[in-house]
Amino acid sequence: MSGKKIADVKRQNIRMDMTAMCDVGFLLLTFFILTAKFKPNEPVKVDIPMSGAVTNIPAKDILLISVGDDGRIFMGVDDKPTRSAMLDEISRRYNFTVDGNMQKRFVNLDQFGVPLEQLPALLKLNPEESNSFVQPGLKCNPDAKILPGQTGSDTAKNQLGELIVIARSLNDRLVIAVKADKGANYDKVDAVIETLRKTNSNRFNLVTSVKNEKE
């Protein structure tokens, strides 16, 4: 053996500073909490049917019409400035006064389904009362005359059609989507489609879930 000795190497603990990583983690958590959009409380639950066709609906400027399994009809517009302008026009037509709280409540409604003459009463409910209130649905009589020059009854009510006309006059970028429960009465869905025809809204989308190819 040679006279050389192997020097003893002291073991040293490696220390990793995690402070920066913790800061980044908390920043990301704060970002997601502040930007998260919670699912709104839907006034009607819709179990949509399946379809093999896939067409992407735009992410904004949507006019959504929902038909529940009990036949109640709801409508909403995702653009808040359009909602605000709609309430001004509705209040003018139905002769009621809108205060700041009512305006705020309506702007935050994703969908609603009450006869328009009952809308002020809905907007005066507090959040707890509003969540428990069962909305009866919009009036949608396909026999009603909606636009000037059309045939139909002058006394029949089709407030869904009236709202469609108001919304499209305020925002010409709106894309119409119909979301009907798979158990909804066909006559109710047909009334919505006839209403779209009478308002010259001949292009619209039917909202469905994607069908599994194995099914």
Side-chain angles (χ1 to χ4, degrees), residues 93 139-154 156-166 191-200:
R93 293 189 183 200
K139 295 178 180 178
C140 180
N141 188 337
D143 295 327
K145 181 170 70 172
I146 301 172
L147 296 173
Q150 288 182 341
T151 59
S153 172
D154 287 312
K157 295 290 184 180
N158 193 327
Q159 293 177 342
L160 172 64
E162 191 174 350
L163 288 170
I164 293 171
V165 172
I166 292 173
V192 170
I193 294 174
E194 176 64 12
T195 298
L196 291 171
R197 187 188 69 80
K198 280 193 168 185
T199 57
N200 299 322

Side-chain angles (χ1 to χ4, degrees), residues 13 84 97 103 120 136 141 157 161 215:
N13 291 327
S84 179
T97 303
Q103 188 84 25
N141 188 337
K157 295 290 184 180
E215 296 180 357

Side-chain angles (χ1 to χ4, degrees), residues 113-138:
V114 293
L116 296 181
E117 56 270 14
Q118 298 177 22
L119 186 57
L122 174 66
L123 298 179
K124 289 177 182 178
L125 297 176
N126 62 48
E128 291 77 17
E129 293 172 332
S130 180
N131 289 336
S132 60
F133 178 71
V134 179
Q135 300 184 42
L138 290 167

